[in-house]
Structure formats: C-alpha cells, structure tokens
Amino acid sequence: MIKPNILISNDDGIKGPGLNPLIKELSKFANIYVVVPKQEMSGTSQSIHLKKYIKLEKIKENFYVLVGGTPTDCVKYALYSFFKDKIDLVVSGINTCANLAQDVIYSGTVAAAREGAFLGIPSISVSANNEKNPCYGQIAKAVSKIIKKVLKTEKKGRPATCLNINVPPNYKGVKIVPLGIRCYDETIVEKKTKNGTYYKLAGRFISGKKNKKSDIDMIEQKYISVTPLNLDQTHFKKIKELKESWGKF
C-alpha cells in the first residue's frame, strides 16, 4: 500500500512542543515532510514575505525551517518549491492553545492550513485546549483517526477542504460544528523606559455568545470540535440586502 505524503507546519516554530509528537504519530502511516518557522510566529495570521529572501535551514531529510518565515510562507514554499507535487495533506500544529471562534482569523496555525487549502491540498489545523498540561501524544493519536478519514474522502483541487480542530483533555468523542463567537476585553498597555515608550496589546477572555452547539460549546462539553472553514469570505446575503437597500446609482 502506498503511503500518503503529509506536510506538517505550525506557528510555534521548531521548538513547539506539539511538533515532534505529531510527527511521531503520523509517521506510523504516512511519509512526513516538515517546513516550520524557526521562531514562534503566533498571531501572524496569513502574513507573507514579498520583498525579501528568507534563509532556509535543513534539519534532516525532508525537514526544514525558515528563518524569519511565517506559517503561510512555510506552506507556500513547501508546496511551490521544496515538495512540489508531492503533498496529499497539510497538517498544521499541534498548537499550544485552542483556536476557537474568531481566533481562526488571527491564528498562524489556522493560516497555514488555510494556505494549503487555497493551494488545492486538503488541510487541517490542530490545537490543544489545555494550556496547563496538554498531552500532545494523545492529541496526535486522536487527530490521526480524523486524518485517515480525510485522506480517504477529501480530494485535491482549489479550493480544497480546510478543517479547524480543537482537542480538549479527556475528550468524549468528536463533533462537527460551526464556529462560535468570543468576546474579549482588550486594552493597550503602556511601558515607559529610558529608550522610549512601548505599547502592548493585552486583555482577557470575557464571554461567548450564540455558542450553543458551536466549537466553544463542544469543547466545554469535552468533545473534539471539527469545523470546516469556508475559504470564500463573500457575504452573499449582504449582497442581496445592499442591492435592495441602495437601489440604483
């Protein structure tokens, strides 16, 4: 039986604690290719480098890091160059914290998977919903079952399937659900030093709303949440509303 070829990337970099457990588990049934940022790139979303060269470091066969590269850079470089025409599935993670609701907009982990789907490869982002004591080995085993299903059912072609997966500790099962809505209390913190004034975004999670049977709800109930992400961001209902309310120009 021919093994599938899986590209692994992340936004936690080469030292991300979820990387090696994921490689170890998926290596049991697939050929693994890795391109990750050298440094942590959390919150970089879909950012890319357009006007500068990025240094490549080879760790071992089929395993590379991009110095200063973003998660999206990693997937682009892998699919366009390093492993062109080889990859059957992109897996991004395992992220050190959950990516729920609108987190998927900011997340570098989700962005790497989204980029794979943009480029026609079925893709998955995987996040741990247990920052204090994540068991990455268990998460990798749980996700491997989903990955096997995806490899059997999802085909290449633009745009491809993009799944956002969050895994809680001691999970009961798997639920396929929509994104919820999270509300954050954010503020800008000022720090004055002899070298100048610096600013930092800070805040804490407040609450969620409209979350019944959402990814947030299922995670709270100890289920793995699986959310298919639509790559077309057009608000089709709003198109109709605007045409009706604005009339002719």
PDB file of all heavy atoms in Angstrom, residues 39-74:
ATOM      1  N   GLN A  39      11.322  30.545  14.569  1.00  0.00           N
ATOM      2  CA  GLN A  39      10.854  31.155  15.801  1.00  0.00           C
ATOM      3  C   GLN A  39       9.332  31.015  15.903  1.00  0.00           C
ATOM      4  O   GLN A  39       8.654  30.714  14.922  1.00  0.00           O
ATOM      5  CB  GLN A  39      11.220  32.645  15.847  1.00  0.00           C
ATOM      6  CG  GLN A  39      12.706  32.943  15.792  1.00  0.00           C
ATOM      7  CD  GLN A  39      13.253  32.976  14.373  1.00  0.00           C
ATOM      8  OE1 GLN A  39      12.503  33.049  13.409  1.00  0.00           O
ATOM      9  NE2 GLN A  39      14.569  32.910  14.241  1.00  0.00           N
ATOM     10  N   GLU A  40       8.820  31.271  17.094  1.00  0.00           N
ATOM     11  CA  GLU A  40       7.369  31.279  17.272  1.00  0.00           C
ATOM     12  C   GLU A  40       6.759  32.404  16.441  1.00  0.00           C
ATOM     13  O   GLU A  40       7.258  33.530  16.425  1.00  0.00           O
ATOM     14  CB  GLU A  40       6.997  31.473  18.741  1.00  0.00           C
ATOM     15  CG  GLU A  40       5.487  31.458  18.969  1.00  0.00           C
ATOM     16  CD  GLU A  40       5.107  31.727  20.402  1.00  0.00           C
ATOM     17  OE1 GLU A  40       6.000  31.728  21.274  1.00  0.00           O
ATOM     18  OE2 GLU A  40       3.904  31.964  20.647  1.00  0.00           O
ATOM     19  N   MET A  41       5.676  32.110  15.758  1.00  0.00           N
ATOM     20  CA  MET A  41       5.002  33.073  14.894  1.00  0.00           C
ATOM     21  C   MET A  41       3.502  33.123  15.190  1.00  0.00           C
ATOM     22  O   MET A  41       2.687  33.263  14.273  1.00  0.00           O
ATOM     23  CB  MET A  41       5.238  32.717  13.428  1.00  0.00           C
ATOM     24  CG  MET A  41       6.646  32.988  12.957  1.00  0.00           C
ATOM     25  SD  MET A  41       6.944  34.759  12.775  1.00  0.00           S
ATOM     26  CE  MET A  41       8.701  34.775  12.371  1.00  0.00           C
ATOM     27  N   SER A  42       3.141  33.000  16.463  1.00  0.00           N
ATOM     28  CA  SER A  42       1.731  33.032  16.839  1.00  0.00           C
ATOM     29  C   SER A  42       1.099  34.380  16.482  1.00  0.00           C
ATOM     30  O   SER A  42       1.728  35.427  16.603  1.00  0.00           O
ATOM     31  CB  SER A  42       1.583  32.800  18.348  1.00  0.00           C
ATOM     32  OG  SER A  42       2.082  31.526  18.698  1.00  0.00           O
ATOM     33  N   GLY A  43      -0.140  34.342  16.045  1.00  0.00           N
ATOM     34  CA  GLY A  43      -0.874  35.561  15.748  1.00  0.00           C
ATOM     35  C   GLY A  43      -0.481  36.250  14.463  1.00  0.00           C
ATOM     36  O   GLY A  43      -0.870  37.391  14.225  1.00  0.00           O
ATOM     37  N   THR A  44       0.266  35.566  13.612  1.00  0.00           N
ATOM     38  CA  THR A  44       0.701  36.190  12.356  1.00  0.00           C
ATOM     39  C   THR A  44      -0.321  36.049  11.239  1.00  0.00           C
ATOM     40  O   THR A  44      -0.152  36.614  10.162  1.00  0.00           O
ATOM     41  CB  THR A  44       2.037  35.598  11.880  1.00  0.00           C
ATOM     42  OG1 THR A  44       1.901  34.172  11.792  1.00  0.00           O
ATOM     43  CG2 THR A  44       3.157  35.940  12.839  1.00  0.00           C
ATOM     44  N   SER A  45      -1.365  35.264  11.487  1.00  0.00           N
ATOM     45  CA  SER A  45      -2.430  35.071  10.517  1.00  0.00           C
ATOM     46  C   SER A  45      -1.863  34.665   9.157  1.00  0.00           C
ATOM     47  O   SER A  45      -0.961  33.836   9.092  1.00  0.00           O
ATOM     48  CB  SER A  45      -3.285  36.329  10.413  1.00  0.00           C
ATOM     49  OG  SER A  45      -4.431  36.103   9.603  1.00  0.00           O
ATOM     50  N   GLN A  46      -2.343  35.300   8.069  1.00  0.00           N
ATOM     51  CA  GLN A  46      -1.963  34.888   6.715  1.00  0.00           C
ATOM     52  C   GLN A  46      -0.813  35.730   6.155  1.00  0.00           C
ATOM     53  O   GLN A  46      -0.635  35.817   4.946  1.00  0.00           O
ATOM     54  CB  GLN A  46      -3.178  35.016   5.798  1.00  0.00           C
ATOM     55  CG  GLN A  46      -3.231  34.002   4.667  1.00  0.00           C
ATOM     56  CD  GLN A  46      -3.734  32.656   5.117  1.00  0.00           C
ATOM     57  OE1 GLN A  46      -4.547  32.567   6.029  1.00  0.00           O
ATOM     58  NE2 GLN A  46      -3.259  31.602   4.489  1.00  0.00           N
ATOM     59  N   SER A  47      -0.021  36.330   7.031  1.00  0.00           N
ATOM     60  CA  SER A  47       1.044  37.224   6.560  1.00  0.00           C
ATOM     61  C   SER A  47       2.124  36.450   5.803  1.00  0.00           C
ATOM     62  O   SER A  47       2.422  35.292   6.100  1.00  0.00           O
ATOM     63  CB  SER A  47       1.677  37.972   7.741  1.00  0.00           C
ATOM     64  OG  SER A  47       2.263  37.070   8.649  1.00  0.00           O
ATOM     65  N   ILE A  48       2.706  37.135   4.797  1.00  0.00           N
ATOM     66  CA  ILE A  48       3.753  36.538   3.981  1.00  0.00           C
ATOM     67  C   ILE A  48       4.855  37.564   3.719  1.00  0.00           C
ATOM     68  O   ILE A  48       4.656  38.762   3.915  1.00  0.00           O
ATOM     69  CB  ILE A  48       3.215  36.045   2.624  1.00  0.00           C
ATOM     70  CG1 ILE A  48       2.517  37.189   1.868  1.00  0.00           C
ATOM     71  CG2 ILE A  48       2.271  34.873   2.808  1.00  0.00           C
ATOM     72  CD1 ILE A  48       2.035  36.819   0.480  1.00  0.00           C
ATOM     73  N   HIS A  49       5.994  37.079   3.303  1.00  0.00           N
ATOM     74  CA  HIS A  49       7.096  37.965   2.907  1.00  0.00           C
ATOM     75  C   HIS A  49       7.116  38.079   1.387  1.00  0.00           C
ATOM     76  O   HIS A  49       7.137  37.069   0.681  1.00  0.00           O
ATOM     77  CB  HIS A  49       8.430  37.413   3.410  1.00  0.00           C
ATOM     78  CG  HIS A  49       8.616  37.564   4.880  1.00  0.00           C
ATOM     79  ND1 HIS A  49       8.151  36.637   5.784  1.00  0.00           N
ATOM     80  CD2 HIS A  49       9.203  38.547   5.611  1.00  0.00           C
ATOM     81  CE1 HIS A  49       8.445  37.027   7.010  1.00  0.00           C
ATOM     82  NE2 HIS A  49       9.084  38.175   6.945  1.00  0.00           N
ATOM     83  N   LEU A  50       7.122  39.299   0.898  1.00  0.00           N
ATOM     84  CA  LEU A  50       7.082  39.538  -0.544  1.00  0.00           C
ATOM     85  C   LEU A  50       8.375  40.111  -1.107  1.00  0.00           C
ATOM     86  O   LEU A  50       8.700  39.878  -2.260  1.00  0.00           O
ATOM     87  CB  LEU A  50       5.930  40.497  -0.882  1.00  0.00           C
ATOM     88  CG  LEU A  50       4.518  39.969  -0.608  1.00  0.00           C
ATOM     89  CD1 LEU A  50       3.501  41.080  -0.831  1.00  0.00           C
ATOM     90  CD2 LEU A  50       4.207  38.772  -1.486  1.00  0.00           C
ATOM     91  N   LYS A  51       9.117  40.885  -0.303  1.00  0.00           N
ATOM     92  CA  LYS A  51      10.239  41.640  -0.848  1.00  0.00           C
ATOM     93  C   LYS A  51      11.590  41.283  -0.239  1.00  0.00           C
ATOM     94  O   LYS A  51      12.548  42.031  -0.379  1.00  0.00           O
ATOM     95  CB  LYS A  51       9.979  43.141  -0.670  1.00  0.00           C
ATOM     96  CG  LYS A  51       8.766  43.624  -1.454  1.00  0.00           C
ATOM     97  CD  LYS A  51       8.572  45.119  -1.314  1.00  0.00           C
ATOM     98  CE  LYS A  51       7.376  45.590  -2.124  1.00  0.00           C
ATOM     99  NZ  LYS A  51       7.176  47.056  -2.007  1.00  0.00           N
ATOM    100  N   LYS A  52      11.656  40.162   0.464  1.00  0.00           N
ATOM    101  CA  LYS A  52      12.964  39.786   0.995  1.00  0.00           C
ATOM    102  C   LYS A  52      13.171  38.282   0.898  1.00  0.00           C
ATOM    103  O   LYS A  52      12.214  37.506   0.881  1.00  0.00           O
ATOM    104  CB  LYS A  52      13.116  40.253   2.445  1.00  0.00           C
ATOM    105  CG  LYS A  52      12.440  39.409   3.489  1.00  0.00           C
ATOM    106  CD  LYS A  52      12.865  39.859   4.881  1.00  0.00           C
ATOM    107  CE  LYS A  52      12.405  38.900   5.958  1.00  0.00           C
ATOM    108  NZ  LYS A  52      12.878  39.289   7.288  1.00  0.00           N
ATOM    109  N   TYR A  53      14.423  37.899   0.808  1.00  0.00           N
ATOM    110  CA  TYR A  53      14.775  36.490   0.778  1.00  0.00           C
ATOM    111  C   TYR A  53      14.747  35.928   2.195  1.00  0.00           C
ATOM    112  O   TYR A  53      15.102  36.617   3.157  1.00  0.00           O
ATOM    113  CB  TYR A  53      16.157  36.286   0.168  1.00  0.00           C
ATOM    114  CG  TYR A  53      16.196  36.499  -1.323  1.00  0.00           C
ATOM    115  CD1 TYR A  53      16.469  37.755  -1.865  1.00  0.00           C
ATOM    116  CD2 TYR A  53      15.951  35.442  -2.189  1.00  0.00           C
ATOM    117  CE1 TYR A  53      16.498  37.961  -3.232  1.00  0.00           C
ATOM    118  CE2 TYR A  53      15.979  35.633  -3.564  1.00  0.00           C
ATOM    119  CZ  TYR A  53      16.248  36.888  -4.084  1.00  0.00           C
ATOM    120  OH  TYR A  53      16.277  37.080  -5.437  1.00  0.00           O
ATOM    121  N   ILE A  54      14.340  34.686   2.311  1.00  0.00           N
ATOM    122  CA  ILE A  54      14.273  34.028   3.613  1.00  0.00           C
ATOM    123  C   ILE A  54      15.277  32.877   3.634  1.00  0.00           C
ATOM    124  O   ILE A  54      15.336  32.069   2.696  1.00  0.00           O
ATOM    125  CB  ILE A  54      12.853  33.489   3.884  1.00  0.00           C
ATOM    126  CG1 ILE A  54      11.840  34.643   3.888  1.00  0.00           C
ATOM    127  CG2 ILE A  54      12.804  32.749   5.219  1.00  0.00           C
ATOM    128  CD1 ILE A  54      10.407  34.176   4.015  1.00  0.00           C
ATOM    129  N   LYS A  55      16.037  32.809   4.688  1.00  0.00           N
ATOM    130  CA  LYS A  55      17.043  31.762   4.808  1.00  0.00           C
ATOM    131  C   LYS A  55      16.410  30.426   5.157  1.00  0.00           C
ATOM    132  O   LYS A  55      15.548  30.325   6.031  1.00  0.00           O
ATOM    133  CB  LYS A  55      18.070  32.140   5.885  1.00  0.00           C
ATOM    134  CG  LYS A  55      19.206  31.121   6.016  1.00  0.00           C
ATOM    135  CD  LYS A  55      20.174  31.536   7.107  1.00  0.00           C
ATOM    136  CE  LYS A  55      21.282  30.502   7.274  1.00  0.00           C
ATOM    137  NZ  LYS A  55      22.212  30.859   8.368  1.00  0.00           N
ATOM    138  N   LEU A  56      16.881  29.395   4.484  1.00  0.00           N
ATOM    139  CA  LEU A  56      16.400  28.039   4.722  1.00  0.00           C
ATOM    140  C   LEU A  56      17.463  27.241   5.458  1.00  0.00           C
ATOM    141  O   LEU A  56      18.633  27.295   5.113  1.00  0.00           O
ATOM    142  CB  LEU A  56      16.088  27.365   3.389  1.00  0.00           C
ATOM    143  CG  LEU A  56      15.664  25.897   3.442  1.00  0.00           C
ATOM    144  CD1 LEU A  56      14.272  25.760   4.031  1.00  0.00           C
ATOM    145  CD2 LEU A  56      15.737  25.286   2.049  1.00  0.00           C
ATOM    146  N   GLU A  57      17.060  26.512   6.494  1.00  0.00           N
ATOM    147  CA  GLU A  57      17.971  25.625   7.211  1.00  0.00           C
ATOM    148  C   GLU A  57      17.436  24.202   7.138  1.00  0.00           C
ATOM    149  O   GLU A  57      16.275  23.949   7.473  1.00  0.00           O
ATOM    150  CB  GLU A  57      18.107  26.053   8.678  1.00  0.00           C
ATOM    151  CG  GLU A  57      18.821  27.383   8.860  1.00  0.00           C
ATOM    152  CD  GLU A  57      19.000  27.753  10.323  1.00  0.00           C
ATOM    153  OE1 GLU A  57      18.515  26.990  11.201  1.00  0.00           O
ATOM    154  OE2 GLU A  57      19.604  28.797  10.604  1.00  0.00           O
ATOM    155  N   LYS A  58      18.285  23.285   6.693  1.00  0.00           N
ATOM    156  CA  LYS A  58      17.891  21.874   6.628  1.00  0.00           C
ATOM    157  C   LYS A  58      18.241  21.194   7.937  1.00  0.00           C
ATOM    158  O   LYS A  58      19.390  21.197   8.368  1.00  0.00           O
ATOM    159  CB  LYS A  58      18.600  21.186   5.466  1.00  0.00           C
ATOM    160  CG  LYS A  58      18.178  19.726   5.278  1.00  0.00           C
ATOM    161  CD  LYS A  58      18.827  19.118   4.038  1.00  0.00           C
ATOM    162  CE  LYS A  58      18.383  17.677   3.846  1.00  0.00           C
ATOM    163  NZ  LYS A  58      18.979  17.084   2.623  1.00  0.00           N
ATOM    164  N   ILE A  59      17.247  20.609   8.593  1.00  0.00           N
ATOM    165  CA  ILE A  59      17.469  19.903   9.854  1.00  0.00           C
ATOM    166  C   ILE A  59      17.871  18.459   9.571  1.00  0.00           C
ATOM    167  O   ILE A  59      18.814  17.928  10.148  1.00  0.00           O
ATOM    168  CB  ILE A  59      16.200  19.940  10.720  1.00  0.00           C
ATOM    169  CG1 ILE A  59      15.756  21.396  10.954  1.00  0.00           C
ATOM    170  CG2 ILE A  59      16.436  19.227  12.049  1.00  0.00           C
ATOM    171  CD1 ILE A  59      16.803  22.274  11.586  1.00  0.00           C
ATOM    172  N   LYS A  60      17.127  17.839   8.677  1.00  0.00           N
ATOM    173  CA  LYS A  60      17.434  16.483   8.204  1.00  0.00           C
ATOM    174  C   LYS A  60      16.629  16.265   6.930  1.00  0.00           C
ATOM    175  O   LYS A  60      15.995  17.190   6.422  1.00  0.00           O
ATOM    176  CB  LYS A  60      17.097  15.426   9.262  1.00  0.00           C
ATOM    177  CG  LYS A  60      15.654  15.437   9.733  1.00  0.00           C
ATOM    178  CD  LYS A  60      15.450  14.421  10.838  1.00  0.00           C
ATOM    179  CE  LYS A  60      14.022  14.442  11.356  1.00  0.00           C
ATOM    180  NZ  LYS A  60      13.812  13.458  12.442  1.00  0.00           N
ATOM    181  N   GLU A  61      16.649  15.076   6.389  1.00  0.00           N
ATOM    182  CA  GLU A  61      15.948  14.800   5.143  1.00  0.00           C
ATOM    183  C   GLU A  61      14.459  15.131   5.257  1.00  0.00           C
ATOM    184  O   GLU A  61      13.768  14.684   6.194  1.00  0.00           O
ATOM    185  CB  GLU A  61      16.108  13.320   4.761  1.00  0.00           C
ATOM    186  CG  GLU A  61      15.601  12.975   3.376  1.00  0.00           C
ATOM    187  CD  GLU A  61      16.436  13.626   2.276  1.00  0.00           C
ATOM    188  OE1 GLU A  61      17.622  13.937   2.527  1.00  0.00           O
ATOM    189  OE2 GLU A  61      15.902  13.799   1.170  1.00  0.00           O
ATOM    190  N   ASN A  62      13.982  15.965   4.344  1.00  0.00           N
ATOM    191  CA  ASN A  62      12.573  16.366   4.288  1.00  0.00           C
ATOM    192  C   ASN A  62      12.103  17.170   5.508  1.00  0.00           C
ATOM    193  O   ASN A  62      10.913  17.206   5.810  1.00  0.00           O
ATOM    194  CB  ASN A  62      11.658  15.142   4.116  1.00  0.00           C
ATOM    195  CG  ASN A  62      11.903  14.438   2.805  1.00  0.00           C
ATOM    196  OD1 ASN A  62      12.254  15.052   1.799  1.00  0.00           O
ATOM    197  ND2 ASN A  62      11.749  13.122   2.804  1.00  0.00           N
ATOM    198  N   PHE A  63      13.042  17.822   6.184  1.00  0.00           N
ATOM    199  CA  PHE A  63      12.712  18.617   7.376  1.00  0.00           C
ATOM    200  C   PHE A  63      13.487  19.928   7.303  1.00  0.00           C
ATOM    201  O   PHE A  63      14.708  19.938   7.368  1.00  0.00           O
ATOM    202  CB  PHE A  63      13.102  17.849   8.643  1.00  0.00           C
ATOM    203  CG  PHE A  63      12.575  18.453   9.927  1.00  0.00           C
ATOM    204  CD1 PHE A  63      12.017  17.634  10.889  1.00  0.00           C
ATOM    205  CD2 PHE A  63      12.635  19.812  10.197  1.00  0.00           C
ATOM    206  CE1 PHE A  63      11.543  18.154  12.091  1.00  0.00           C
ATOM    207  CE2 PHE A  63      12.161  20.343  11.368  1.00  0.00           C
ATOM    208  CZ  PHE A  63      11.613  19.517  12.323  1.00  0.00           C
ATOM    209  N   TYR A  64      12.744  21.049   7.155  1.00  0.00           N
ATOM    210  CA  TYR A  64      13.364  22.358   7.002  1.00  0.00           C
ATOM    211  C   TYR A  64      12.749  23.384   7.942  1.00  0.00           C
ATOM    212  O   TYR A  64      11.586  23.248   8.366  1.00  0.00           O
ATOM    213  CB  TYR A  64      13.186  22.877   5.571  1.00  0.00           C
ATOM    214  CG  TYR A  64      13.817  22.012   4.507  1.00  0.00           C
ATOM    215  CD1 TYR A  64      13.063  21.036   3.849  1.00  0.00           C
ATOM    216  CD2 TYR A  64      15.154  22.174   4.145  1.00  0.00           C
ATOM    217  CE1 TYR A  64      13.634  20.245   2.862  1.00  0.00           C
ATOM    218  CE2 TYR A  64      15.724  21.384   3.162  1.00  0.00           C
ATOM    219  CZ  TYR A  64      14.962  20.423   2.522  1.00  0.00           C
ATOM    220  OH  TYR A  64      15.521  19.641   1.547  1.00  0.00           O
ATOM    221  N   VAL A  65      13.520  24.425   8.261  1.00  0.00           N
ATOM    222  CA  VAL A  65      12.979  25.584   8.968  1.00  0.00           C
ATOM    223  C   VAL A  65      13.272  26.830   8.139  1.00  0.00           C
ATOM    224  O   VAL A  65      14.288  26.915   7.444  1.00  0.00           O
ATOM    225  CB  VAL A  65      13.573  25.747  10.390  1.00  0.00           C
ATOM    226  CG1 VAL A  65      13.215  24.565  11.267  1.00  0.00           C
ATOM    227  CG2 VAL A  65      15.080  25.952  10.345  1.00  0.00           C
ATOM    228  N   LEU A  66      12.354  27.793   8.209  1.00  0.00           N
ATOM    229  CA  LEU A  66      12.538  29.087   7.559  1.00  0.00           C
ATOM    230  C   LEU A  66      12.868  30.113   8.630  1.00  0.00           C
ATOM    231  O   LEU A  66      12.097  30.312   9.574  1.00  0.00           O
ATOM    232  CB  LEU A  66      11.269  29.511   6.817  1.00  0.00           C
ATOM    233  CG  LEU A  66      10.919  28.751   5.536  1.00  0.00           C
ATOM    234  CD1 LEU A  66       9.678  29.365   4.910  1.00  0.00           C
ATOM    235  CD2 LEU A  66      12.074  28.770   4.548  1.00  0.00           C
ATOM    236  N   VAL A  67      14.015  30.743   8.503  1.00  0.00           N
ATOM    237  CA  VAL A  67      14.448  31.753   9.477  1.00  0.00           C
ATOM    238  C   VAL A  67      13.687  33.047   9.206  1.00  0.00           C
ATOM    239  O   VAL A  67      13.894  33.697   8.180  1.00  0.00           O
ATOM    240  CB  VAL A  67      15.967  31.994   9.396  1.00  0.00           C
ATOM    241  CG1 VAL A  67      16.385  33.022  10.439  1.00  0.00           C
ATOM    242  CG2 VAL A  67      16.729  30.680   9.577  1.00  0.00           C
ATOM    243  N   GLY A  68      12.808  33.419  10.119  1.00  0.00           N
ATOM    244  CA  GLY A  68      12.001  34.614   9.941  1.00  0.00           C
ATOM    245  C   GLY A  68      10.753  34.387   9.111  1.00  0.00           C
ATOM    246  O   GLY A  68       9.963  35.313   8.898  1.00  0.00           O
ATOM    247  N   GLY A  69      10.550  33.166   8.633  1.00  0.00           N
ATOM    248  CA  GLY A  69       9.377  32.867   7.821  1.00  0.00           C
ATOM    249  C   GLY A  69       8.124  32.711   8.658  1.00  0.00           C
ATOM    250  O   GLY A  69       8.175  32.304   9.819  1.00  0.00           O
ATOM    251  N   THR A  70       6.985  33.040   8.070  1.00  0.00           N
ATOM    252  CA  THR A  70       5.701  32.869   8.733  1.00  0.00           C
ATOM    253  C   THR A  70       5.149  31.475   8.427  1.00  0.00           C
ATOM    254  O   THR A  70       5.645  30.783   7.514  1.00  0.00           O
ATOM    255  CB  THR A  70       4.691  33.914   8.246  1.00  0.00           C
ATOM    256  OG1 THR A  70       4.383  33.651   6.860  1.00  0.00           O
ATOM    257  CG2 THR A  70       5.233  35.328   8.402  1.00  0.00           C
ATOM    258  N   PRO A  71       4.105  31.039   9.130  1.00  0.00           N
ATOM    259  CA  PRO A  71       3.490  29.752   8.794  1.00  0.00           C
ATOM    260  C   PRO A  71       3.017  29.687   7.342  1.00  0.00           C
ATOM    261  O   PRO A  71       3.182  28.657   6.680  1.00  0.00           O
ATOM    262  CB  PRO A  71       2.306  29.673   9.766  1.00  0.00           C
ATOM    263  CG  PRO A  71       2.759  30.468  10.946  1.00  0.00           C
ATOM    264  CD  PRO A  71       3.536  31.606  10.371  1.00  0.00           C
ATOM    265  N   THR A  72       2.440  30.783   6.857  1.00  0.00           N
ATOM    266  CA  THR A  72       1.990  30.804   5.462  1.00  0.00           C
ATOM    267  C   THR A  72       3.164  30.715   4.495  1.00  0.00           C
ATOM    268  O   THR A  72       3.092  30.025   3.472  1.00  0.00           O
ATOM    269  CB  THR A  72       1.162  32.066   5.187  1.00  0.00           C
ATOM    270  OG1 THR A  72       0.036  32.079   6.079  1.00  0.00           O
ATOM    271  CG2 THR A  72       0.665  32.110   3.766  1.00  0.00           C
ATOM    272  N   ASP A  73       4.265  31.414   4.803  1.00  0.00           N
ATOM    273  CA  ASP A  73       5.481  31.270   3.998  1.00  0.00           C
ATOM    274  C   ASP A  73       5.887  29.807   3.912  1.00  0.00           C
ATOM    275  O   ASP A  73       6.235  29.301   2.842  1.00  0.00           O
ATOM    276  CB  ASP A  73       6.642  32.049   4.625  1.00  0.00           C
ATOM    277  CG  ASP A  73       6.540  33.555   4.453  1.00  0.00           C
ATOM    278  OD1 ASP A  73       5.967  34.004   3.450  1.00  0.00           O
ATOM    279  OD2 ASP A  73       7.047  34.278   5.334  1.00  0.00           O
ATOM    280  N   CYS A  74       5.867  29.128   5.050  1.00  0.00           N
ATOM    281  CA  CYS A  74       6.314  27.732   5.106  1.00  0.00           C
ATOM    282  C   CYS A  74       5.513  26.853   4.156  1.00  0.00           C
ATOM    283  O   CYS A  74       6.070  26.040   3.416  1.00  0.00           O
ATOM    284  CB  CYS A  74       6.193  27.201   6.535  1.00  0.00           C
ATOM    285  SG  CYS A  74       7.371  27.922   7.701  1.00  0.00           S
TER     286      CYS A  74
END
